[in-house]
Amino acid sequence: MIPIKDKEGIARMREVCAIAATVLDSLKPLVRPGVTTMDLEEAGRAEIARLGARSACYGYQHGSRRYPAHTCISVNEEVVHGIPSFKRVLREGDIVSLDIVLEYNGYIGDNAVTVPVAAVAPAIEKLLRVTREALGIGVRAAQVGNRIGDISSAVQAHVEGNGFSVVRDMVGHGVGVAMHEPPEIPNFGKRGSGDKIRPGMTLAIEPMVNLGGYATLTLPDGWTVVSADRSPSAHFEHTVLTTEKGPEILTIPGLVPARTA
Ligand code: MF3
Ligand code: CO
């Protein structure tokens, strides 16, 4: 069963998502050559604390491991769940995926973006553009009366039509009182398949797109997912509320006034 948020739940989702978007937005201008991914983690941790929220990633348990940072920062061939490090220095031409998942007042908001470090190669610029567009196209497909597979197939068609591949080992998801709620939202699939979209669903739509093949593997650190062929990978994500009037993106900075803790 896909959870349907009531008025109260929707109000809280709006709030946490606005905070998650504010944190993500604050990190983007810090991305430049010479900065380490731990610098971004430190800035993210401070901004999360300033806004009175909590990272849903820090201490997140997967098997016997707990995620050790407040942000996920994935560089180049890293798809998702990169662990910030003092040793990872950003260089011109890199791309960096920033993924921020926060809890505030018992609700969770999830968003991600991939940003270039200074100038990047034209093929990588296209990778970022197509992945960002795929997110927009996926969001637009999240209409009441459609099915989850309509989101999946729309994303897949745009990505593959541009010569890239969609990661299949990880999927988008419902989000709310838990980081991962039903439904799963693959970035590949058939139109007309899956659950019906009803009003009051909060969905994390998140195309993960590889320049090369779709296969991925997890590094020995137990978290970092990389493309198997080590080709660059991009990730854009919004949390979206489904309504009778159409999908509403909740993870836009400035939707709700920021409070200082
Ligand atoms: N957005 C990521 C996800 O949905 C966040 C994971 S937090 C981590 O899987 F702890 F697993 F890194
Ligand atoms: Co997510």
Side-chain angles (χ1 to χ4, degrees):
M1 275 295 283
I2 302 176
I4 300 295
K5 274 68 182 181
D6 61 9
K7 233 175 147 227
E8 167 84 7
I10 289 170
R12 291 189 179 199
M13 283 301 288
R14 282 189 203 290
E15 204 164 29
V16 67
C17 288
I19 296 171
T22 300
V23 172
L24 184 61
D25 204 44
S26 75
L27 298 183
K28 289 188 219 166
L30 306 181
V31 172
R32 52 192 149 68
V35 162
T36 72
T37 55
M38 187 59 86
D39 293 330
L40 300 173
E41 157 74 6
E42 279 302 312
R45 189 188 52 74
E47 183 71 354
I48 293 165
R50 189 181 73 81
L51 295 168
R54 182 185 71 79
S55 166
C57 292
Y58 186 77
Y60 180 83
Q61 199 161 356
H62 186 254
S64 61
R65 294 172 196 262
R66 287 185 179 277
Y67 188 72
H70 300 77
T71 62
C72 292
I73 303 184
S74 309
V75 183
N76 296 340
E77 74 283 0
E78 297 171 358
V79 180
V80 288
H81 303 168
I83 303 173
S85 162
F86 290 113
K87 290 190 220 146
R88 189 70 194 244
V89 184
L90 300 180
R91 300 289 177 214
E92 176 157 20
D94 288 343
I95 52 173
V96 190
S97 301
L98 310 166
D99 191 351
I100 299 292
V101 197
L102 300 184
E103 179 265 328
Y104 181 75
N105 256 325
Y107 283 80
I108 292 176
D110 191 354
N111 64 168
V113 68
T114 302
V115 293
V117 183
V120 300
I124 294 182
E125 235 165 66
K126 182 183 171 192
L127 174 71
L128 300 189
R129 173 177 61 79
V130 167
T131 309
R132 189 186 315 107
E133 289 168 352
L135 170 57
I137 287 165
V139 169
R140 190 173 60 194
Q143 303 286 343
V144 168
N146 278 2
R147 290 178 182 273
I148 296 298
D150 296 327
I151 302 174
S152 306
S153 69
V155 168
Q156 180 177 22
H158 188 64
V159 170
E160 294 181 353
N162 279 282
F164 300 133
S165 49
V166 288
V167 168
R168 294 167 187 239
D169 297 329
M170 272 109 19
V171 296
H173 50 95
V175 58
V177 296
M179 193 195 305
H180 299 127
E181 296 181 344
E184 289 194 348
I185 310 174
N187 293 301
F188 56 95
K190 284 199 181 7
R191 224 168 61 189
S193 70
D195 286 297
K196 254 230 170 101
I197 298 173
R198 301 182 194 284
M201 294 179 175
T202 45
L203 307 175
I205 300 176
E206 50 176 323
M208 289 155 270
V209 175
N210 292 351
L211 192 137
Y214 62 72
T216 70
L217 48 90
T218 303
L219 296 185
D221 66 19
W223 290 102
T224 311
V225 177
V226 298
S227 59
D229 60 10
R230 302 302 203 268
S231 67
S233 186
H235 179 205
F236 286 81
E237 174 175 31
H238 274 307
T239 299
V240 171
L241 169 71
T242 57
T243 83
E244 295 284 10
K245 291 186 212 149
E248 182 185 328
I249 296 173
L250 300 184
T251 39
I252 291 179
L255 265 187
V256 173
R259 65 184 281 285
T260 44

